[in-house]
Amino acid sequence: MTRKPIALAVAVLALGVLLCGGTVVLPVLMLGQSQAEAAACEVSTLPGEAAPEVGRWSSAQVANATAIVAVGRQRQVPARGHVITLAAAMQESTLRNLANATVPESLALPHEGIGRDHDSVGLFQQRPGWGTVRERMTPSYAAARFYEALTRIDGWERMRLTDAAQAVQRSGYPEAYQKWEDDAEMLAAAVFGVPDIRDIGGGAPVAPCGIDDLGPVPVGPSGWVQPLHAFVGSPFGPRNGRLHAGVDMSRTDVRGDPIRAASGGRVEQVMCDWYTTCDRDGHTRARGCGWYVDIRHPGHIVTRYCHLIKRPEVSIGQQIAAGSVIGFVGNSGGSSGPHLHFEVHVNVPPGPYNANSSNAVDPGPFMRARGAPLGAGP
């Protein structure tokens, strides 16, 4: 499902670019056809000209975001890199150029707030190893150093956002960046002047241009398909005194792979279990599905898809065809590693909460009888 375009006022944001004591103008057209031009130096608002607010982000925060994106554009970083970099700055400073109460020099420089985290300053809360105080409090310099470190990481384009940001920042809270992904995508799109960052390849690693680019898959005469090409590890049946009401499907490097609707139907449930945190990796001490989707099919059948990596790509009430991408493999909730937990429920009464262990059946024989046996093959 493609996200709806962001509703923003059309405005031209005039930004001053400070270069060796001179000033030039960087135009950014919000929701226009042109994109932000590349810039290699500092970006700040001109006197009397403020950046427009974007969602929860103030004029000053949007100006800092524009500075970050401008540097990434100049360095020819893919759009996904801008999203990761913005999310890192959102977590570290809420996109404010922070001085530090314990670093006197920083208090004498232009700043938008005061922090107290060791000797960290600036948008990315960088410590002395990243540069001088003045350099670290210059948004363009701080962003350039982040981009340099990010693009040196092997395979960063395919990582979860939080893993890529953590590989640069080495934070004590490695999962903290993930919660900013949606905000970072929205703000990056606004700066670029496009309705959706996926229009220019800034989406999830497996589908940077959106799930429509993943294409259809063959659907058999019965109208059923495999939800994921992966091996069945943990089977349906009793486990530790409880019913394991589905099968766990996984293989090497399965994280981020698309999950497809096993048959056509109506999306009945899209949610994160209330007793767990979904925008992060789960663990075996946690409970529940994390992010999951229920789809109701004709004949009172419901299929369930658990442990998605992020908010699913479908919405409640949506009619979808067999093989449609509904989300991506993750590790949220009570999970020992990235995999799809897939359930089938039969004779399910109407209503979104009636698929449970009492009407769960073994997905293996069920899918095999419909010409879509589970396993690693197509």
Side-chain angles (χ1 to χ4, degrees), residues 180-194:
W180 297 106
E181 185 164 20
D182 288 345
D183 273 87
E185 288 183 351
M186 180 271 292
L187 192 50
V191 172
F192 271 98
V194 295

Side-chain angles (χ1 to χ4, degrees), residues 27-365:
V28 181
L29 182 61
M30 309 295 286
L31 284 186
Q33 295 300 313
S34 63
Q35 296 179 345
E37 294 298 325
C41 42
E42 179 60 8
V43 181
S44 59
T45 54
L46 283 174
E49 295 182 351
E53 295 180 358
V54 177
R56 74 170 77 179
W57 306 103
S58 71
S59 172
Q61 291 167 312
V62 173
N64 287 328
T66 303
I68 290 170
V69 171
V71 172
R73 287 269 293 167
Q74 190 274 333
R75 303 177 74 88
Q76 298 184 332
V77 176
R80 178 66 178 173
H82 305 319
V83 173
I84 294 168
T85 306
L86 287 173
M90 288 172 175
Q91 170 60 26
E92 297 295 345
S93 67
T94 59
L95 281 174
R96 296 176 300 145
N97 197 19
L98 298 180
N100 191 311
T102 65
V103 183
E105 182 183 350
S106 70
L107 300 173
L109 296 170
H111 57 275
E112 297 153 352
I114 299 175
R116 296 179 179 273
D117 183 12
H118 300 288
D119 47 11
S120 303
V121 298
L123 290 174
F124 298 92
Q125 290 293 277
Q126 292 161 333
R127 304 192 69 182
W130 292 87
T132 67
V133 174
R134 181 175 292 275
E135 287 172 334
R136 288 178 283 142
M137 290 191 66
T138 302
S140 59
Y141 174 90
R145 292 301 308 272
F146 186 97
Y147 282 121
E148 287 173 6
L150 176 67
T151 54
R152 285 198 300 264
I153 298 166
D154 186 37
W156 67 267
E157 300 96 328
R158 278 193 59 85
M159 292 181 179
R160 282 194 311 153
L161 182 147
T162 199
D163 294 334
Q166 171 64 3
V168 176
Q169 295 292 95
R170 302 183 185 278
S171 166
Y173 304 93
E175 291 286 344
Y177 304 102
Q178 192 66 39
K179 65 179 177 286
W180 297 106
E181 185 164 20
D182 288 345
D183 273 87
E185 288 183 351
M186 180 271 292
L187 192 50
V191 172
F192 271 98
V194 295
D196 191 316
I197 195 62
R198 291 177 292 192
D199 293 345
I200 55 172
V206 137
C209 294
I211 60 175
D212 290 344
D213 280 7
L214 294 174
V217 292
V219 178
S222 66
W224 289 76
V225 301
Q226 292 182 358
L228 177 73
H229 294 165
F231 296 103
V232 175
S234 183
F236 177 91
R239 180 196 288 176
N240 299 324
R242 301 179 62 184
L243 176 66
H244 184 237
V247 296
D248 291 345
M249 304 180 67
S250 187
R251 56 177 167 69
T252 304
D253 297 327
V254 74
R255 186 197 290 274
D257 278 8
I259 300 168
R260 297 180 181 269
S263 188
R266 182 178 61 84
V267 177
E268 189 167 72
Q269 194 66 270
V270 175
M271 67 182 300
C272 167
D273 288 325
W274 64 269
Y275 41 75
T276 190
T277 301
C278 287
D279 289 325
R280 61 179 299 169
D281 276 353
H283 49 80
T284 55
R285 299 184 305 279
R287 296 187 298 152
C289 271
W291 281 117
Y292 75 93
V293 174
D294 282 358
I295 301 175
R296 182 173 288 270
H297 311 280
H300 305 291
I301 298 169
V302 172
T303 54
R304 177 169 293 169
Y305 312 78
C306 296
H307 308 307
L308 277 64
I309 195 169
K310 58 182 291 187
R311 180 180 292 278
E313 300 292 320
V314 293
S315 56
I316 293 175
Q318 182 179 351
Q319 293 287 338
I320 56 174
S324 299
V325 175
I326 62 174
F328 301 96
V329 176
N331 189 28
S332 58
S335 174
S336 58
H339 70 282
L340 168 65
H341 174 86
F342 176 60
E343 297 181 6
V344 175
H345 299 260
V346 299
N347 301 319
V348 183
Y353 300 103
N354 290 324
N356 53 51
S357 59
S358 69
N359 48 41
V361 298
D362 189 340

